[in-house]
Amino acid sequence: MNDYTEVRLGLEPCSETLTDILAAMLAEEGYESFVPDSEGVTAYIKKEDFDPDTLDRVIRDFPMETVITATHSVVEGRDWNAEWEKNYFKPIVIDRMCAIHSSFHKDVPRCEYDILIDPKMAFGTGHHATTTLILRRLLSMDLKGKKMVDMGTGTGILAILADMRGAARVDAIEIDEFAHENAGENLRLNHTKNVILHLGDAARLATIRDVDIFVANINRNIITADLPAYADTLSPGASVILSGFYEEDIPVIMKTAETLGLRYADHTVLDRWASLHLKS
């Protein structure tokens, strides 16, 4: 059964920055989806993974001045598309080039790239700053004929755009079984031709080589731990596009990257979230 624990966290005072930081801390503890609002954030984690002590620790360790109150309840398996339609997921347009919407949306603006996403509980609709940052990079890069890895593919949105923009092969890897299933549904919705979907973690990279573009939108701790496995896949001169962390986290990632021969190219920022571009 696809049951989740819904955790409601009220913040006083509350701001977008505070809810983003709290969501990032919870993501590192296995929380999968977040719905922020003007008074706090609602977070979701698989029922079997919920630990009240871990939640208490996150609240206790929160680095900013705010009062956090928390309640939680079990949410039984349901039609998550309906939940997203009702609560959060709205059509978006990235730089007037890419429209992202669900099959239930109407009157979507016409763009060169039209991506259908039925997100259920998987991360990556384009609304979060980290996804937007990488989408913008992929829209500005020459992907035609390139090999790409989308590590932690979530809904599959980045792999779908790469396929639309002419990538020769995209290996999309997702560790969560339900997100993996959802990504497969979205790949079929968009009639992708060159995306290979894998269930697993960085160990799945062992047989993947000569990658031109490596994308990972996860979090700082996982990225720094798995960066050696990422580097092993790269062709000379490859681009590594990383996100899921704040701008102030870049030096921590660069410390590991430099030991692997990866060079800083540039970075972009949106709402304090960063996208780091490295070159092999």
Side-chain angles (χ1 to χ4, degrees), residues 23-32 45 49 54-55 57-58 219:
M25 294 174 68
L26 291 169
E28 293 190 357
E29 303 298 339
Y31 285 74
E32 298 180 7
I45 187 171
D49 294 336
T54 298
L55 177 62
R57 176 173 52 77
V58 169
N219 66 56

Side-chain angles (χ1 to χ4, degrees), residues 4-183:
Y4 277 76
T5 294
E6 178 184 273
V7 179
R8 175 61 193 175
L9 298 129
L11 282 73
E12 178 59 45
C14 183
S15 69
E16 184 177 355
T17 296
L18 294 175
T19 57
D20 275 351
I21 293 172
L22 184 55
M25 294 174 68
L26 291 169
E28 293 190 357
E29 303 298 339
Y31 285 74
E32 298 180 7
S33 296
F34 309 92
V35 182
D37 55 53
S38 62
E39 297 180 351
V41 61
T42 303
Y44 295 88
I45 187 171
K46 286 184 177 179
K47 177 183 176 182
E48 60 269 25
D49 294 336
F50 175 69
D51 177 24
D53 292 337
T54 298
L55 177 62
D56 289 343
R57 176 173 52 77
V58 169
I59 294 173
R60 186 173 62 251
D61 293 345
F62 192 72
M64 310 290 282
E65 287 294 328
T66 185
V67 176
I68 302 176
T69 57
T71 59
H72 60 85
S73 60
V74 174
V75 181
E76 295 183 353
R78 62 178 66 175
D79 181 354
W80 291 112
N81 286 343
E83 292 301 307
W84 276 85
E85 179 182 19
K86 180 175 67 177
N87 293 315
Y88 185 52
F89 185 33
K90 306 299 180 185
I92 64 169
V93 175
I94 304 293
D95 297 339
R96 299 182 181 179
M97 295 177 63
C98 177
I100 302 159
H101 60 98
S102 193
S103 56
F104 47 66
H105 289 135
K106 310 298 181 185
D107 300 322
V108 179
R110 289 189 177 183
C111 291
E112 183 177 359
Y113 304 105
D114 187 89
I115 298 178
L116 275 173
I117 293 291
D118 282 343
K120 298 188 178 177
M121 287 299 290
F123 176 82
T125 62
H127 287 83
H128 195 273
T130 58
T131 311
T132 298
L133 284 166
I134 297 184
L135 285 166
R136 285 176 172 166
R137 285 193 180 273
L138 295 181
L139 286 167
S140 68
M141 298 175 73
D142 178 13
L143 305 185
K144 193 170 182 62
K146 301 295 178 62
K147 289 182 64 176
M148 186 177 115
V149 167
D150 178 17
M151 193 74 207
T153 194
T155 59
I157 187 172
L158 302 177
I160 291 165
L161 179 60
D163 183 79
M164 289 180 172
R165 301 206 67 236
R169 173 181 172 126
V170 182
D171 287 281
I173 302 172
E174 175 57 52
I175 191 171
D176 179 80
E177 290 187 13
F178 187 66
H180 175 268
E181 178 184 346
N182 182 218

